[in-house]
Amino acid sequence: MQQRRKSPFAAAPAAAKQGEGEEAPARRPGAPLSLAGLLVSIFLVALFVYNEDSAVVKAPLAALDAGAGDFPLAGASRARSAPDLHLLHEVNPRSQQQQQGGEGDEEERGHVEQVESRRKATDSDRADAAPARADKRAAPATTTTAPPSPSSGGNTSSSGAAVVAQPEPPACNLYQGWWTYDAEGSQVPLYREPECEFLTEQVTCMRNGRRDDSYQRWRWQPSSCDLPRFDAGALLERLRNKRLMFVGDSLNRNQWESMVCLVSSAIPSRDKKSLAKFVGPNGSMNVFRAAEYNATVEFYWAPFLVSSNSDDPQAHSVADRVVAWRSIAKHARHWRAAHFLVFNTYIWWLNNFQMKVLKNPRALPDKYTLVDRPVAYKEVLKTWAKWVDRHVDPDHTRVFFMGMSPNHGVPEAWGGGPGAVKCAMETQPILNHTGPLYIGTDWRLHGAAEAVLRSMRRVPVHLVDITALSEFRKDAHTSVHTLRQGKLLTAEQQADPRTYADCIHWCLPGLPDTWNHFLYAQIAAPSPPAQEASSS
């Protein structure tokens, strides 16, 4: 008959049974244990303790191997898998509202921006600010010294290092640095306003009455490297037989005008360059052609990238804006043949805290849902990213996404003096600022863009991270030296900057030339900066 097993604790003080039903002889009280019995007892106790310790240590590892990811030993979990960095950028910072970027709506947008910026300043210490924003804004870069006289501008610092969509070696971050004044004009501006016949009246600030040209003389200096010297001829050679297309809103059109002037400066013959506006699908394209190079620099109007009720390239100032966040094919089919695509979308999102979204425009074309701005923004970018990953050939086309172009509507944010009104009459950047700026930029959207770009796997997209460095350029807007509803501001309107100053768009030559200099560093520079290896 099979013998029953007893626990080690029961076996230690008693001898083994002699047979079924037969009891072991009892030990006499006070009799000492035999040496063999003592050794067996010590061995069994030690074996039991060892097994118990092994079970405590090995159980979590076994559970992790089996997929028990919620086991309470976080250290063991981190040892086996890196933390999800996406989560660090998903926390929403404080809610913000700004001036809207549609043309002809500056009066309404200025009021919205002022109200929200004041609310934002009082809320600046809320604890739910995103870590991505803290990384960008906490540590200011080096500030230059010996600023020029107030009439010509002064040196300033940029905000801290920017987190980009593709990891960059620390040796060169083009977007961390400072603005330095080039009094001699040896490096900036890269072209002259009267020399570029393609500039529109919206951006020709000197022609429209601005008296100082200091905004043209600020050069961006990265802190850990140098921007390659801009060579328009080299850029045209890189664009030979190719299409460079900007896609987005009026700020991307602002940058497109800058690029047209930059490349046309290398084409002295007027009959070898041409510009056609409001051509292509629904008049959505402007096309500059360099005949000798068989190259084009194009702009495509799509302020939300996806379909919206603001898609008319000439009549798009719609106050009640609605987007179809899953509908992109109408626009995107016109982008596929381009060799360089430069996207942006931001300013048109700032009219309201919530966006009106058509989730099913075909079945329910009149039914929309109100969605928080950052949520809608991220969903639109996910639609865009899905299209890029599915339809762009990375061996044929390079893709860039522009950071957000900031507004400057509330001088209190940078310590404006008595009587200061929006960005009007500003002649210098924000000077020697050592802390975070709170001018009203909605950094939640910036974080959403970073998260979406990081999620892309097939097609690398380089984030041209202009936001933080552009926040310091309160001096560079068109202000009252521009158009309103297609007409130049009158003297009476220029005297009323609270109503008419445009603190959204930028004078040219000016800040957008620096943005294009970043593109040049990625596209055409003989020795591309360190980012190139990680973003190409």
Side-chain angles (χ1 to χ4, degrees):
M1 183 177 298
Q2 185 176 8
Q3 185 179 7
R4 290 179 298 177
R5 300 180 60 187
K6 300 183 71 175
S7 73
F9 290 108
K17 292 184 179 180
Q18 303 300 313
E20 182 66 18
E22 182 180 356
E23 294 184 0
R27 184 173 61 88
R28 294 189 307 272
L33 287 172
S34 67
L35 179 61
L38 179 62
L39 292 176
V40 170
S41 300
I42 294 173
F43 172 77
L44 292 175
V45 171
L47 180 63
F48 175 80
V49 172
Y50 174 81
N51 287 337
E52 288 294 303
D53 290 344
S54 298
V56 171
V57 173
K58 294 180 179 178
L61 300 180
L64 288 170
D65 290 336
D70 57 349
F71 218 87
L73 287 185
S77 177
R78 286 193 298 269
R80 291 183 171 269
S81 61
D84 185 0
L85 297 181
H86 291 245
L87 298 178
L88 299 179
H89 301 272
E90 293 296 326
V91 184
N92 286 340
R94 48 191 166 272
S95 185
Q96 304 164 3
Q97 179 69 26
Q98 288 184 302
Q99 158 181 0
Q100 173 58 33
E103 297 157 355
D105 296 333
E106 280 78 9
E107 179 174 8
E108 175 187 356
R109 294 192 298 271
H111 174 71
V112 171
E113 183 187 49
Q114 290 181 41
V115 171
E116 174 54 21
S117 294
R118 289 190 178 94
R119 188 196 65 77
K120 181 176 183 293
T122 62
D123 199 28
S124 61
D125 292 328
R126 281 183 54 181
D128 59 348
R133 176 175 174 173
D135 290 343
K136 289 178 180 303
R137 317 290 291 129
T142 307
T143 303
T144 54
T145 57
S149 65
S151 61
S152 61
N155 292 324
T156 184
S157 66
S158 167
S159 60
V163 180
V164 295
Q166 300 293 332
E168 295 179 347
C172 183
N173 182 348
L174 292 180
Y175 313 117
Q176 180 181 7
W178 61 88
W179 291 101
T180 183
Y181 190 75
D182 185 357
E184 301 298 325
S186 59
Q187 297 187 50
V188 288
L190 296 171
Y191 56 92
R192 302 289 178 178
E193 181 183 295
E195 297 170 356
C196 184
E197 65 270 34
F198 301 111
L199 286 176
T200 62
E201 285 185 306
Q202 183 186 24
V203 298
T204 52
C205 297
M206 298 298 294
R207 188 188 309 167
N208 298 340
R210 181 161 179 167
R211 297 181 180 179
D212 75 288
D213 66 351
S214 59
Y215 64 92
Q216 301 180 11
R217 298 180 182 273
W218 289 94
R219 178 180 61 83
W220 179 250
Q221 176 59 57
S223 57
S224 55
C225 56
D226 288 320
L227 275 168
R229 192 170 185 87
F230 192 93
D231 185 339
L235 180 56
L236 278 170
E237 283 296 339
R238 186 69 179 89
L239 297 179
R240 185 180 291 276
N241 302 317
K242 292 181 173 61
R243 297 172 62 188
L244 166 60
M245 180 182 287
F246 292 80
V247 178
D249 58 29
S250 58
L251 273 306
N252 232 23
R253 187 180 63 212
N254 205 171
Q255 186 177 353
W256 166 79
E257 282 195 66
S258 162
M259 182 62 82
V260 167
C261 289
L262 287 169
V263 297
S264 67
S265 65
I267 308 174
S269 178
R270 182 65 181 83
D271 59 357
K272 293 185 178 181
K273 51 188 176 182
S274 61
L275 180 64
K277 291 189 174 183
F278 304 114
V279 298
N282 195 34
S284 295
M285 295 182 66
N286 297 344
V287 180
F288 170 82
R289 181 176 299 278
E292 183 179 351
Y293 297 87
N294 189 32
T296 59
V297 180
E298 309 171 24
F299 169 73
Y300 183 97
W301 175 261
F304 293 101
L305 300 182
V306 296
S307 298
S308 74
N309 63 347
S310 301
D311 285 344
D312 190 306
Q314 299 188 66
H316 46 248
S317 293
V318 180
D320 192 23
R321 290 162 187 171
V322 183
V323 300
W325 66 4
R326 297 289 181 254
S327 301
I328 198 170
K330 180 185 77 171
H331 294 313
R333 65 176 178 266
H334 304 290
W335 312 336
R336 297 183 65 169
H339 298 82
F340 302 95
L341 284 167
V342 184
F343 293 95
N344 93 316
T345 181
Y346 172 65
I347 199 69
W348 283 68
W349 291 85
L350 303 184
N351 200 38
N352 296 294
F353 287 107
Q354 292 183 312
M355 295 297 298
K356 293 181 177 179
V357 174
L358 291 176
K359 293 188 175 180
N360 194 344
R362 292 184 179 179
L364 299 170
D366 298 324
K367 300 295 183 181
Y368 62 81
T369 302
L370 285 175
V371 180
D372 287 342
R373 182 199 301 163
V375 175
Y377 186 85
K378 187 171 184 178
E379 289 302 313
V380 163
L381 289 192
K382 286 165 66 175
T383 297
W384 164 82
K386 184 180 295 184
W387 179 86
V388 170
D389 267 338
R390 288 181 176 178
H391 297 284
V392 170
D393 179 359
D395 294 328
H396 175 269
T397 302
R398 294 188 60 188
V399 183
F400 301 89
F401 190 88
M402 299 301 301
M404 305 173 302
S405 173
N407 306 334
H408 293 85
V410 183
E412 292 84 355
W414 57 81
V421 179
K422 301 171 72 172
C423 66
M425 312 310 169
E426 295 287 349
T427 59
Q428 302 180 65
I430 297 174
L431 299 175
N432 302 318
H433 194 88
T434 56
L437 276 175
Y438 295 109
I439 67 170
T441 303
D442 193 338
W443 283 90
R444 298 173 303 170
L445 306 193
H446 192 285
E450 288 182 324
V452 171
L453 266 60
R454 281 196 306 271
S455 71
M456 301 176 70
R457 293 293 177 260
R458 180 174 171 271
V459 180
V461 178
H462 182 83
L463 176 63
V464 185
D465 200 357
I466 62 171
T467 307
L469 62 92
S470 299
E471 282 192 327
F472 288 89
R473 295 305 308 276
K474 61 182 174 64
D475 61 309
H477 290 287
T478 55
S479 184
V480 295
H481 309 292
T482 187
L483 303 176
R484 183 175 177 84
Q485 296 178 348
K487 297 181 180 180
L488 279 174
L489 296 181
T490 65
E492 292 76 13
Q493 290 172 327
Q494 288 184 343
D496 183 12
R498 191 174 302 279
T499 301
Y500 294 101
D502 179 353
C503 299
I504 301 171
H505 301 94
W506 308 91
C507 300
L508 291 179
L511 178 62
D513 303 327
T514 299
W515 302 349
N516 282 324
H517 203 156
F518 294 140
L519 287 179
Y520 172 84
Q522 298 296 328
I523 294 174
S527 299
Q531 294 104 313
E532 183 73 2
S534 60
S535 60
S536 300

